[in-house]
Amino acid sequence: MADVVLGIETSCDETSAAVLVAGSAGGNGGAPELASLVILSQDVHKVFGGVVPELASRAHLAALPAVVDRALAEAGLGLGAVDAVAVTAGPGLVGALIVGVVYAKALAYGGDRALIGVHHMEGHVFAPALEDPSLTPPFVALLVSGGHTLLLDVPEWGRYRLLGQTRDDAAGEAFDKVATLLGLGYPGGPAIERLAREGDPTRFRFPRPMKDEGLEFSFSGLKTSVLHAVRASNDLDRDRAHLARGFQDAVLDVLVTKLERAVRGAGYRTAVLGGGVACSRALAQLATERLSGTARVVVASPRLNADNAAMIARAGWFRLARGERSDWTLDARADLPLPGLEPTPHSPLTSHHSPPS
Ligand code: KG4
Ligand code: ZN
């Protein structure tokens, strides 16, 4: 088992490295502790209003060695202390992923270290465990980011059943597109959340797509409704905050309604929020309110919800501890399938789960 894992994340526009070390309890029983986390957010995309893949790859290439060095320095360790490297192998922008994967392979090969490729969304599942070592499955995870909206049944670490996903836009993507409609910058989520605090929730009531049935999501129609409202407004400066509030209320209402439905259907007592949209305090607050008495809502702090290498190191730690290793054929895959994803023959709403032993 590894005692010091270096994590590397370059799937989108954050260049990040982290060092995770065996907990003071030692051995397999001790939860790993985060010794350092460095996240460099690429500014270059701001002017384009979205991530430009080629520029992301180049920026990762320029920054990654320094980001890794900084993470090691902040952990007070030299490269010699690292015995395994965990790297995001997908999904994400393939050119950006390749930079991290190649660098990780070189570090592993050059130092005879273990290598483990990590699925980016599995990283998001593990993020809250960094701060709350008592977190244990079973739980339902709502993973909401710029590229994904996933409801997962997690009966035990490393096993997943897909309960629902988006049929069109991801939740974060909807935030980003609506932010553009409102003339706010990229990324849009934080700007919308800030503005929504000043908005009147009764001014604009937007539809709640697919709210009343099932566990699937759809956000593109909602985005179109906001577009119509923006066009119909004769004073966008006056309406902007109200529009942001109306939109945010609609998205969060749908997300939390589905989360609650999934948690009740599974009969679990824990719900996990993860991914960049889980940085939204409004989301965490609404989920905690609506699930009170039903389930504990666990959400990591914002720097661990947005893309970061600590979550990659943590998911890698789990897989390394089980004896898993990647070999030198490890490659970046834009469409990497989630490991441990099981087919779902019955919806948890219609079948009873036996509690995992
Ligand atoms: O997980 P993440 O950092 O990157 C991806 O893997 O996509 O998620 C980024 C997404 C962006 O769409 C951003 O607008 C959204 O997370 N986001 C938020 C908030 N902070 C970030 N959305 C809503 N409210 C927020 N406070
Ligand atoms: Zn992410």
Side-chain angles (χ1 to χ4, degrees):
M1 178 51 212
D3 281 332
V4 179
V5 173
L6 172 68
I8 293 177
E9 151 70 35
T10 63
S11 68
C12 193
D13 58 343
E14 262 85 32
T15 314
S16 181
V19 177
L20 206 54
V21 301
S24 36
N28 288 338
E33 286 167 10
L34 187 59
S36 67
L37 169 59
V38 177
I39 305 171
L40 190 70
S41 293
Q42 301 176 353
D43 272 349
V44 60
H45 310 288
K46 286 218 163 81
V47 68
F48 298 101
V51 178
V52 183
E54 178 58 25
L55 294 180
S57 314
R58 291 187 205 188
H60 286 308
L61 198 56
L64 186 56
V67 167
V68 167
D69 286 352
R70 174 73 80 88
L72 288 168
E74 286 186 11
L77 296 170
L79 186 56
V82 172
D83 38 26
V85 185
V87 62
T88 309
L93 304 170
V94 75
L97 289 164
I98 284 172
V99 176
V101 168
V102 168
Y103 198 72
K105 278 163 91 169
L107 286 177
Y109 189 75
D112 205 15
R113 301 180 175 95
L115 174 71
I116 187 82
V118 173
H119 190 284
H120 181 84
M121 299 313 287
E122 182 162 62
H124 281 305
V125 174
F126 274 90
L130 286 161
E131 290 172 327
D132 182 355
S134 74
L135 174 64
T136 41
F139 56 76
V140 170
L142 173 66
L143 303 183
V144 270
S145 70
H148 292 87
T149 304
L150 293 176
L151 254 184
L152 292 176
D153 173 356
V154 185
E156 58 186 63
W157 289 120
R159 275 181 60 205
Y160 308 102
R161 295 187 196 117
L162 180 63
L163 302 175
Q165 60 186 325
T166 183
R167 296 190 174 174
D168 39 59
D169 293 352
E173 191 181 352
F175 270 95
D176 295 335
K177 287 179 175 169
V178 165
T180 304
L181 293 178
L182 296 178
L184 306 169
Y186 174 86
I192 289 188
E193 184 176 20
R194 262 194 310 277
L195 201 57
R197 287 191 200 118
E198 300 154 24
D200 176 350
T202 63
R203 282 293 311 284
F204 292 93
R205 171 134 186 125
F206 290 114
R208 269 75 169 147
M210 302 176 72
K211 178 183 166 185
D212 296 329
E213 83 220 49
L215 299 170
E216 298 273 296
F217 303 89
S218 165
F219 293 112
S220 75
L222 172 58
K223 176 192 64 193
T224 309
S225 302
V226 178
L227 173 66
H228 290 315
V230 168
R231 286 200 180 136
S233 165
N234 46 24
D235 187 348
L236 191 54
D237 285 337
R238 182 199 59 204
D239 288 341
R240 192 175 278 110
H242 309 314
L243 287 160
R245 177 61 185 262
F247 164 75
Q248 179 176 274
D249 283 357
V251 175
L252 301 191
D253 184 15
V254 172
L255 289 174
V256 173
T257 300
K258 306 260 171 176
L259 176 64
E260 186 180 0
R261 188 173 295 146
V263 170
R264 285 184 188 278
Y268 292 167
R269 305 286 299 158
T270 309
V272 165
L273 300 176
V277 181
C279 295
S280 164
R281 288 175 53 192
L283 172 60
Q285 217 171 353
L286 187 67
T288 306
E289 256 167 51
R290 291 252 204 103
L291 274 81
S292 85
T294 305
R296 178 170 83 105
V297 175
V298 182
V299 51
S301 50
R303 77 177 185 141
L304 297 176
N305 275 324
D307 289 350
N308 70 86
M311 67 183 197
I312 301 304
R314 184 62 188 82
W317 187 284
F318 163 76
R319 299 224 161 251
L320 289 161
R322 294 212 305 192
E324 294 179 33
R325 301 284 184 273
S326 297
D327 63 25
W328 306 123
T329 63
L330 177 68
D331 208 355
R333 276 189 61 181
D335 61 346
L336 188 71
L338 185 64
L341 186 65
E342 296 170 7
T344 12
H346 304 292
S347 153
L349 298 176
T350 53
S351 68
H352 282 288
H353 286 286
S354 45
S357 48

